[in-house]
Amino acid sequence: MAYEYEYPHPAVTVDVVIFTIRSDELKVLLIKRALEPFVGRWALPGGFVDLKESLLDAAKRELREETGVAAAYLEQLYTFGEPDRDPRERVISVAYYALMPSDALEIKAASDAEGVGWFTIDELPELAFDHSEILQMALERLVAKLDYSTIAFQLMPEEFTMPELRHLYELITREEIDARNFAKRILALDVIEPTGRDRREGAHRPAKLYRVKDRSKVEVIK
Amino acid sequence: MAYEYEYPHPAVTVDVVIFTIRSDELKVLLIKRALEPFVGRWALPGGFVDLKESLLDAAKRELREETGVAAAYLEQLYTFGEPDRDPRERVISVAYYALMPSDALEIKAASDAEGVGWFTIDELPELAFDHSEILQMALERLVAKLDYSTIAFQLMPEEFTMPELRHLYELITREEIDARNFAKRILALDVIEPTGRDRREGAHRPAKLYRVKDRSKVEVIK
DNA sequence: GCAAAAGTGTTCCAGATACACCCATGT
DNA sequence: ACATGGGTGTATCTGGAACACTTTTGC
């Protein structure tokens, strides 16, 4: 039951930063650790890479296990390998980050187990290992990519309105955006189309609903 | 002499794509493999990560061992971990890329051992493992970063002229660049300064020499 | 004095920004 | 009818692209 090698081998894990939008906030999924080290501390979902699965598959598996959702935007972020980042043994962590449409989680959300939680990015608890650093880098990447890719649509539900999309950008960049310029810019990308329907909500003019023409396609702009 | 683990562990290597400019070409350092698998095939320099060293230190060590140069721009590229990328066992490779100033290598260049060579990027031999893929990604990253960072100066010698710098950009992007606009743009970055001296070379007006104000600093533009 | 490459400034265009009014709804 | 937020166009600015002539040297 032991595995032997001629040379020492580190353990390799995959950790995933899972972002979504809930209650009008940018949220991250965290897990309360049940085992040593850092028992009781919150941490990013992750686990050891199976010898027969690719890194991406391992990340997908984590994503599925924790959210019940198979499909989401998933991208490798960075590999963290300081010798002492895990007190047990040398552990190298390949970090990924995932973007989940806010509607994909509705069902699973209800059955949130004890020890799993969505945290607003500016109300994060102290995290285990170097997970704060990983999370920080994921956030920076997300903010940066918002600018030159169409990544943001990966966080939107099937149908959404222009004000909702704009609000997402404002949430992530923490800056106000002019509605007219925003709509112009987004429509010029030619990646969303009106569904023809609209959403009435409150005592004002209804907002048009849009949908992404081809989901799965994340394009780098220009 | 054996290392035992309760669970299977992959091996972890660091591979480094080392770029430099020589003979007016963008070159990459490759090593001829002396061991199975892929004996005799060219490959990126790399090796197993020591259990006590960080990933970055491992990359630095490879760099030093192969080029004799300790300092260079070094950045993590991506982690490659397909289950079958190495026929021996599961090997996960954390790839880095390095940029060496063209003058740093002069000494070592002469003593190039058999089985080590600088290859022009469009005259590459068939590579071992998935190293072609790694190299390809490094090249894409280099081209992309040229645009929005001051990374290019890492490839220049201590002193250089504006036409030389422009030529470097042309080599990497494979596009002609207008000399006037180029000079304007580069000087606006405010990262280089004239040395006051100039370089006479051929039957024409000498070019001013410039130097980087603060090497080590790679800034993202805007 | 001629060939060869370096230095340099202005005009133009496109994409981004600033900005205000009318429209459709619920109450 | 009025309050609320959504929809939309134009003028301006700014950064990038296009573009040509003068300068300094070696021969």
Side-chain angles (χ1 to χ4, degrees):
Chain A
M1 224 222 69
Y3 293 83
E4 286 194 14
Y5 303 95
E6 202 172 335
Y7 298 99
H9 283 38
V12 176
T13 62
V14 162
D15 292 313
V16 188
V17 183
I18 307 173
F19 290 109
T20 199
I21 303 290
R22 274 175 87 179
S23 321
D24 225 33
E25 312 238 47
L26 180 61
K27 305 252 185 187
V28 174
L29 187 76
L30 297 176
I31 307 265
K32 194 171 232 163
R33 286 186 59 81
L35 302 171
E36 284 292 354
F38 296 104
V39 177
R41 199 72 88 74
W42 292 94
L44 294 171
F48 294 98
V49 175
D50 190 274
L51 270 207
K52 292 289 170 202
E53 76 187 340
S54 73
L55 298 172
L56 181 60
D57 285 341
K60 279 183 187 164
R61 179 169 52 76
E62 287 301 325
L63 193 64
R64 197 171 353 99
E65 285 174 4
E66 301 306 338
T67 65
V69 178
Y73 179 74
L74 189 58
E75 181 185 313
Q76 191 182 305
L77 176 66
Y78 196 77
T79 297
F80 295 80
E82 289 304 307
D84 56 355
R85 55 182 296 282
D86 190 309
R88 292 166 296 183
E89 63 172 325
R90 179 72 188 271
V91 177
I92 287 165
S93 167
V94 183
Y96 281 74
Y97 73 104
L99 306 183
M100 307 280 290
S102 40
D103 56 352
L105 295 155
E106 296 301 325
I107 312 109
K108 183 79 176 184
S111 65
D112 265 356
E114 182 66 29
V116 179
W118 289 99
F119 288 78
T120 303
I121 50 158
D122 19 50
E123 292 168 9
L124 292 172
E126 205 179 343
L127 300 187
F129 307 106
D130 53 1
H131 287 189
S132 292
E133 196 187 335
I134 298 176
L135 187 38
Q136 186 56 34
M137 192 182 286
L139 198 51
E140 283 166 18
R141 181 90 131 243
L142 176 58
V143 173
K145 276 202 109 150
L146 217 54
D147 241 35
Y148 65 88
S149 79
T150 56
I151 203 178
F153 299 113
Q154 306 292 336
L155 284 162
M156 300 306 288
E158 192 61 31
E159 298 194 329
F160 55 90
T161 67
M162 195 60 79
E164 282 164 4
L165 181 63
R166 175 163 46 85
H167 191 63
L168 168 68
Y169 272 80
E170 290 177 331
L171 266 179
I172 297 177
T173 62
R174 294 160 183 277
E175 284 177 15
E176 263 195 29
I177 301 172
D178 180 84
R180 288 162 293 188
N181 294 335
F182 181 78
K184 216 188 308 173
R185 201 179 85 218
I186 295 296
L187 292 174
L189 295 176
D190 193 37
V191 294
I192 62 172
E193 58 191 2
T195 64
R197 309 195 310 117
D198 50 33
R199 171 172 299 160
R200 286 168 307 165
E201 187 179 22
H204 55 84
R205 180 171 175 173
K208 286 188 198 170
L209 283 167
Y210 290 88
R211 111 186 97 223
V212 175
K213 281 187 188 173
D214 183 1
R215 199 164 277 260
S216 86
K217 202 188 286 180
V218 177
E219 301 219 349
V220 170
I221 296 166
K222 246 188 157 205
Chain B
M1 224 222 67
Y3 293 84
E4 285 195 13
Y5 302 96
E6 203 171 334
Y7 298 98
H9 282 40
V12 176
T13 62
V14 161
D15 292 313
V16 189
V17 184
I18 307 173
F19 290 109
T20 200
I21 303 290
R22 274 175 87 178
S23 322
D24 224 34
E25 312 240 46
L26 180 62
K27 304 253 186 189
V28 174
L29 187 76
L30 298 176
I31 307 265
K32 193 171 231 164
R33 286 187 58 80
L35 301 171
E36 284 292 354
F38 296 104
V39 177
R41 199 73 87 73
W42 293 94
L44 295 172
F48 294 99
V49 175
D50 190 273
L51 270 207
K52 292 289 171 205
E53 77 187 340
S54 73
L55 298 173
L56 182 60
D57 285 341
K60 279 183 186 162
R61 178 169 52 75
E62 287 301 326
L63 193 64
R64 197 171 353 98
E65 284 174 5
E66 302 306 338
T67 66
V69 178
Y73 178 74
L74 190 58
E75 180 184 313
Q76 190 182 306
L77 176 66
Y78 196 77
T79 297
F80 295 80
E82 288 304 308
D84 56 355
R85 57 182 294 284
D86 190 310
R88 291 167 296 184
E89 63 172 326
R90 178 72 187 269
V91 177
I92 287 165
S93 166
V94 184
Y96 280 75
Y97 73 105
L99 306 182
M100 307 280 289
S102 40
D103 56 352
L105 295 156
E106 295 301 324
I107 311 109
K108 183 79 176 183
S111 66
D112 264 356
E114 181 67 26
V116 180
W118 289 100
F119 288 78
T120 303
I121 49 158
D122 22 49
E123 291 168 11
L124 292 172
E126 204 179 344
L127 300 186
F129 308 106
D130 53 1
H131 287 189
S132 292
E133 196 187 337
I134 298 176
L135 187 37
Q136 185 57 33
M137 193 183 284
L139 197 52
E140 282 166 18
R141 181 91 130 241
L142 177 58
V143 171
K145 274 201 113 152
L146 218 55
D147 241 35
Y148 65 89
S149 79
T150 56
I151 202 178
F153 299 114
Q154 306 292 335
L155 284 162
M156 299 306 288
E158 191 61 31
E159 298 194 330
F160 55 90
T161 67
M162 196 59 80
E164 282 165 5
L165 181 63
R166 175 163 46 84
H167 191 62
L168 168 68
Y169 271 80
E170 290 177 332
L171 267 179
I172 297 176
T173 62
R174 293 157 184 277
E175 283 177 17
E176 263 194 30
I177 301 172
D178 179 85
R180 288 163 293 187
N181 294 335
F182 182 78
K184 214 187 310 171
R185 201 178 85 218
I186 295 296
L187 292 175
L189 296 177
D190 191 39
V191 294
I192 62 173
E193 58 192 3
T195 64
R197 309 194 311 114
D198 52 32
R199 172 171 297 160
R200 285 168 309 165
E201 188 178 20
H204 55 84
R205 179 172 179 172
K208 287 189 197 167
L209 284 166
Y210 290 88
R211 113 187 94 224
V212 175
K213 282 186 187 172
D214 182 4
R215 199 163 278 259
S216 85
K217 203 189 285 181
V218 176
E219 300 219 351
V220 170
I221 297 167
K222 247 190 154 196

